């Protein structure tokens, strides 16, 4: 069985296999914070569970702002929610 790394959700702060989480990346080249839908971006990353509750909680707690220590466009949370 292939080993899948565990990552922490910024909302519930529980550890989950990386492939069960949404990855959000601060793009190294542009500095932009983006949803890494196709897993092609490099940079500092944060994770949220693939469920509406955690996305909403992350938004409420400003989990991504904390993870990246900078402002995050609220639209990103909405986009993540739309992906559920
Ligand atoms: Zn979670």
């Amino acid at each position: 069985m292939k080993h899948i790394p565990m990552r922490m959700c910024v909302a519930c702060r529980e550890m989950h296999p990386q492939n069960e989480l949404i990855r959000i990346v601060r793009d190294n080249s542009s500095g932009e914070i983006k949803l890494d839908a196709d897993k092609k971006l490099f940079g500092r990353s944060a994770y949220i569970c693939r469920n509406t509750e955690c996305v909403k909680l992350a938004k409420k707690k400003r989990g991504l702002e904390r993870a990246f220590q900078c402002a995050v466009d609220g639209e990103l949370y909405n986009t993540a929610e739309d992906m559920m």
Side-chain angles (χ1 to χ4, degrees), residues 3 9 13-14 17-19 21 24 29 32 38 41 44 51 53 60 66-69 74 83:
H3 177 74
C9 166
R13 309 189 71 82
E14 281 174 26
Q18 189 175 15
N19 61 354
L21 301 160
I24 298 100
S29 47
E32 261 184 281
D38 46 15
L41 301 173
R44 191 187 162 87
N51 64 58
E53 289 71 29
K60 201 173 137 198
R66 269 198 247 184
F68 292 113
Q69 301 190 330
M83 282 166 62

Side-chain angles (χ1 to χ4, degrees), residues 10 26 44-47 62-70:
V10 299
R26 185 166 64 199
R44 191 187 162 87
S45 48
Y47 297 85
R62 309 237 138 237
L64 293 177
E65 282 84 343
R66 269 198 247 184
F68 292 113
Q69 301 190 330
C70 68

Side-chain angles (χ1 to χ4, degrees), residues 2-68:
K2 204 177 156 224
H3 177 74
I4 296 162
M6 301 289 280
R7 294 288 182 264
M8 192 178 70
C9 166
V10 299
C12 64
R13 309 189 71 82
E14 281 174 26
M15 301 294 289
H16 294 285
Q18 189 175 15
N19 61 354
E20 289 176 15
L21 301 160
I22 311 165
R23 183 171 183 242
I24 298 100
V25 181
R26 185 166 64 199
D27 192 350
N28 271 345
S29 47
S30 65
E32 261 184 281
I33 292 174
K34 303 174 184 177
L35 278 165
D36 186 21
D38 46 15
K39 297 187 171 63
K40 280 183 187 156
L41 301 173
F42 294 97
R44 191 187 162 87
S45 48
Y47 297 85
I48 307 176
C49 296
R50 269 180 205 282
N51 64 58
T52 314
E53 289 71 29
C54 278
V55 175
K56 282 188 174 151
L57 186 62
K59 187 177 183 177
K60 201 173 137 198
K61 289 168 65 172
R62 309 237 138 237
L64 293 177
E65 282 84 343
R66 269 198 247 184
F68 292 113

